[in-house]
Amino acid sequence: MPFATVSQASQSAGSLELAQTSAANGHDEAVYSTFSKSSKRCISFAASSAAMFSGLSSFVYYPAITPLAESLHTTVALINLTITSYLIVSGFVPSIVGDLADRTGRRPLYILTFAIYFAANIGLALQDSYPALFVLRMLQSAGSSSLLARVLHHEIGG
């Protein structure tokens, strides 16, 4: 399959101008796009920003394991269980969200999963018990891993 660069299509006086690009095999192909160059950059920036949430939420947690165990009056092993639950949820939730996105569209799912992620982070900042930490970490994972999965699915070719 030949690869073509994405080119800008602009509207002028109601007609759509198409730019010609060279594909990898040397043939010219028309590439259609309704987005301006700045819109494409904005979309790429938003998708890249959304993709960083899952990894950031997972790794930023490690230095706080011992202080969390002390402040919640629990063991480090139980705090480590929240990491395990985070990883388990981040493994299976994207398949559920992916199926829903195919049925309902990506935009509502982006908004829903980002809202879940945001609410879980607010809850984590305000919680003061281990059960709340455990449940909110799973919700945080559900929101962030779904964002990453939708970004990757969209960018790779879904």
Side-chain angles (χ1 to χ4, degrees):
M1 175 179 217
F3 294 99
T5 59
V6 178
S7 64
Q8 178 180 359
S10 61
Q11 286 187 337
S12 62
S15 65
L16 187 63
E17 297 174 11
L18 301 176
Q20 295 291 324
T21 62
S22 288
N25 64 2
H27 294 94
D28 288 338
E29 294 181 8
V31 178
Y32 301 90
S33 178
T34 59
F35 296 112
S36 68
K37 192 172 187 177
S38 62
S39 293
K40 290 181 210 174
R41 286 183 180 158
C42 184
I43 291 167
S44 294
F45 177 75
S48 300
S49 298
M52 80 175 185
F53 287 131
S54 182
L56 182 64
S57 296
S58 179
F59 294 121
V60 78
Y61 189 67
Y62 294 139
I65 290 174
T66 304
L68 271 173
E70 291 171 0
S71 74
L72 296 176
H73 308 292
T74 189
T75 65
V76 171
L78 284 176
I79 299 297
N80 283 335
L81 187 60
T82 65
I83 295 171
T84 303
S85 66
Y86 183 96
L87 295 173
I88 289 171
V89 169
S90 71
F92 76 83
V93 167
S95 62
I96 296 167
V97 172
D99 186 45
L100 287 173
D102 290 341
R103 294 179 185 177
T104 62
R106 291 185 183 121
R107 185 176 299 166
L109 266 293
Y110 271 132
I111 294 168
L112 176 66
T113 56
F114 189 72
I116 289 170
Y117 177 74
F118 185 75
N121 284 330
I122 298 295
L124 283 166
L126 300 175
Q127 63 81 30
D128 60 352
S129 69
Y130 176 75
L133 175 71
F134 189 77
V135 170
L136 290 169
R137 278 290 286 174
M138 289 190 291
L139 281 174
Q140 182 187 41
S141 177
S144 67
S145 64
S146 300
L147 284 170
L148 177 62
R150 295 313 310 153
V151 167
L152 291 176
H153 178 72
H154 182 273
E155 294 299 321
I156 292 175

